Each structure stands twice: as structure tokens, then as C-alpha cells.
Amino acid sequence: MGCSGITPSASLLSNADAALHRAKQSGKADYCVYRESFQLAQDKEHELAREIRLGIEKGEFEVYYQAQVSTQTHAVIGFEALLRWRHLTKGMVSPGDFIPIAEKYGLIVAMGEATIKEACRQAGLWRSEFGRQITIAVNLPLIHLRRNDLVELVRQELGANGLNGSALELEITESMVGSDASAVQANIETLKGLGVKFSIDDFGTGYSGLSRLKDFPVDALKIDQSFIQKMVSNQSDFKLVQVIVGFAKVFGLHVIAEGVERPDQFELLTALGCNSVQGYLMHRPSPVKEATEYLRAKYHIS
Ligand code: C2E
Ligand code: CA
Ligand code: CA
């Protein structure tokens, strides 16, 4: 104790808070004794959250785009918007390093709003250049899907850029499908009414019962990349992919495979009847300029 500027009781409280935080992280009904390293970890986290907040204000976050391609026509059917943080000293920071902190510190909604705005603006520009609507998928966490200002934001951005609702796809996760919160249900219904599409990201990794899905108005399933990466060599992964594609077909859903890196995966997915693919084999997530060049070069939009 005795850090300058902090009274013993204040530092005691802050240490207790750090230990409480650590206990919560390790699960419910646990306890934790304070160690100095916890405080250090928490301080680092606070500092990162502060930098993220500043980064948002300074416009350091940039939307990258990754193409989604039809297995039948090889045409681009849309893009996924993936955030990158162009940090002044750290360089390009991946979402894995900032999304969890942004969620924890309540900054994810501001990020999501900026991404939706940017995605709609870009869909409008691509529509002008290519004469057709290109769907852009945006990742949306539960906290954002619950917000009562989400629908208005989407309506406003679609309208401002002269787009139909189907220009925007919202990627949610399996656990959100089961959310019985009325705010979530109401938002999904209104957004669906506007024509906005919904897809389930990382499909196959969650534990939501398939029965929930039959009542949920989702448009597409995105098969998690962990299954795709192993499907050629591992029978269980192959069967799982086969079952997901079959399930999607029975329920009339679009099915897309993520993390396609090799031609053998592409061929197998095509043979199984998977509708589209996304992965380094076709296109790496790129800044808008390169994504636009990719579109121009292929000049091949489905
Ligand atoms: P995700 O939504 O599952 O995104 C797919 C991730 O796979 C992306 O990582 C993408 O760059 C990567 N990927 C694409 N093709 C391949 C491939 O062929 N091989 C491999 N190994 N990886 C591939 P990224 O961009 O680092 O994003 C990681 C996660 O961060 C995303 O996973 C998503 O959960 C989250 N994220 C990204 N952008 C946003 C955002 O704007 N908002 C929110 N809420 N989350 C985001
Ligand atoms: Ca995603
Ligand atoms: Ca995914």
C-alpha cells in the first residue's frame, strides 16, 4: 500500500475490485485472492479502452471488406465488413484484440453504428458504379441488437443511400437466436420488415437447439471456419458440414462456408451444394479501394 495519491482504503477497494473481476472471469460461485498482477492486467485493459475511445473519436477504425462468392457462378454475391484499427504506434490491430474490450466497456455500439453507416455508404457507391445492389454483411453483437435506436439508424442509412433493406445483412450468433428478450424480437421483426437480411455466424459452434431455428426468420447460415479447415481430412467435420448444408436446404436457407483457403475445400463444398464461400482462396479482407478493384477486375457480380 501507500501508493502516492491513493489512500489505503481506496487502493484496498480497487484491489478488491480487481480480485472480484478475476473471480467473475473464472466463473460463477468462485472467489479470488488479490495479486498485484491482476491490478496490472486491469490497468492495461482500462488503458486499452481509453485508447479505443480516442481511436473512435479520431477515426482510426477502418472497415475492410471480404468478398463472398457463389460456388455455382463464381460471381461475387456480397461482402462482409470486418473492422481494423489503424493504431498510430501499434500499426494494424486485429478485431480479436479490441472487440472483447469494446464490448466490455460499452464502446461496441458506437463502433457498430459507424460500421453500419460506412457499409451503407459503400453499398450506395458500389451500386452507382456497378449498377446493382451488393449486399454488405455487418457483425452485430447482442447488446446492439437490443438497442431501441438500431432500427431508426438502419432505416436512416438505407434511405440516405437509396438502398433496399436487402443491401444490408446482419450477422448474429447462435446464442442470440434463443434470446427471448422482447426488444430483440421486436427489432428483428421490424428490420426483417425493411428487407434487412439476417445470418447466423460461426454456425455449428454454439449450442442452440436446431428447433429454435425453425421459428427464427434467418436467411443464411455461415458454417464456422473450424469445420471447413478440417473437412477434407476429418470425416466427422465433413459429416457435420454435410448435415448443416442439408439442414439449410430443407429450411430454404442460404448456406455459406467461411475460411475457404484451398481448392479442394471449394470443390467439396460445391459438390455438397453449399451456395457460397468466403475465404483467403477467393479474397482476403481488404481496404475499400482494393475491394473495389477486385470487383472491377472480376467484373463479375451475381
Ligand atoms: P468472424 O465474423 O467470424 O469473421 C471471420 C474472420 O475470419 C475474420 O477475422 C476474417 O479475416 C477471417 N478469415 C476470412 N477468411 C479466412 C480464411 O480463409 N482463413 C482464415 N484463417 N481466416 C479467414 P477478423 O477480421 O480478424 O475478425 C475476427 C472476428 O472479430 C470476427 O469473426 C468477428 O467476430 C469480429 N469482428 C470483426 N469485425 C467486427 C465488427 O465490425 N463488429 C463486431 N461486433 N465484430 C467484428
Ligand atoms: Ca462474421
Ligand atoms: Ca464467422
Side-chain angles (χ1 to χ4, degrees), residues 3-299:
C3 312
S4 60
I6 304 178
T7 64
S9 62
S11 75
L12 194 63
L13 275 177
S14 139
N15 294 351
D17 189 47
L20 175 67
H21 177 68
R22 182 59 67 109
K24 278 184 184 162
Q25 278 182 334
S26 65
K28 285 184 183 153
D30 202 354
Y31 72 94
C32 190
V33 177
Y34 170 76
R35 282 204 212 106
E36 212 163 327
S37 61
F38 298 169
Q39 189 63 54
L40 281 176
Q42 217 179 352
D43 288 351
K44 251 177 104 177
E45 224 181 72
H46 284 316
E47 174 55 19
L48 187 58
R50 196 187 65 81
E51 283 191 63
I52 293 174
R53 202 171 285 121
L54 270 177
I56 296 174
E57 282 168 19
K58 291 196 283 183
E60 289 175 359
F61 289 87
E62 185 176 337
V63 179
Y64 271 36
Y65 295 89
Q66 185 179 32
Q68 301 178 332
V69 171
S70 159
T71 51
Q72 292 308 303
T73 63
H74 298 189
V76 176
I77 58 154
F79 283 89
E80 178 175 1
L82 293 159
L83 268 184
R84 297 288 180 268
W85 182 9
R86 201 179 284 280
H87 191 278
L88 206 60
T89 52
K90 294 181 197 154
M92 207 50 111
V93 185
S94 291
D97 296 328
F98 62 81
I99 295 282
I101 305 292
E103 288 213 24
K104 190 167 158 192
Y105 286 79
L107 303 167
I108 198 78
V109 171
M111 266 182 194
E113 287 174 352
T115 309
I116 289 172
K117 280 186 191 170
E118 189 52 33
C120 289
R121 200 179 71 84
Q122 194 52 50
L125 291 174
W126 278 336
R127 187 193 156 106
S128 307
E129 175 167 353
F130 297 100
R132 53 160 306 138
Q133 191 161 282
I134 295 161
T135 301
I136 300 183
V138 173
N139 293 283
L140 200 78
L142 183 60
I143 352 177
H144 204 165
L145 188 59
R146 276 205 203 110
R147 299 266 305 198
N148 53 19
D149 51 3
L150 173 68
V151 169
E152 211 26 61
L153 172 84
V154 170
R155 203 195 304 270
Q156 150 75 32
E157 294 308 315
L158 291 172
N161 294 287
L163 301 166
N164 296 325
S166 60
L168 185 67
E169 180 167 312
L170 296 175
E171 293 195 5
I172 61 174
T173 54
E174 270 176 89
S175 57
M176 288 154 78
V177 171
S179 171
D180 45 16
S182 58
V184 170
Q185 294 304 333
N187 273 353
I188 291 174
E189 268 169 42
T190 321
L191 289 165
K192 288 289 297 176
L194 294 177
V196 172
K197 296 194 209 164
F198 279 86
S199 59
I200 301 192
D201 205 358
D202 308 334
F203 191 76
T205 57
Y207 299 96
S208 74
L210 290 185
S211 59
R212 280 190 195 149
L213 211 56
K214 76 176 168 32
D215 302 320
F216 190 82
V218 72
D219 301 276
L221 303 181
K222 295 192 80 175
I223 310 175
D224 189 64
Q225 48 181 282
S226 58
F227 307 122
I228 307 303
Q229 272 148 24
K230 289 181 280 172
M231 71 180 288
V232 177
S233 56
N234 184 313
Q235 267 298 306
S236 320
D237 287 286
F238 174 78
K239 283 181 188 161
L240 202 80
V241 173
Q242 192 175 29
V243 165
I244 297 174
V245 173
F247 176 85
K249 292 263 170 290
V250 169
F251 285 94
L253 306 175
H254 184 94
V255 60
I256 170 161
E258 279 192 294
V260 178
E261 294 180 351
R262 300 193 315 262
D264 56 353
Q265 295 163 336
F266 184 98
E267 279 153 27
L268 213 47
L269 287 159
T270 308
L272 284 177
C274 183
N275 303 109
S276 47
V277 283
Q278 180 182 338
Y280 296 166
L281 176 66
M282 284 68 57
H283 183 231
R284 281 185 179 256
S286 328
V288 65
K289 196 165 166 280
E290 279 155 64
T292 308
E293 275 158 17
Y294 178 80
L295 268 176
R296 281 190 200 129
K298 293 203 89 181
Y299 203 66

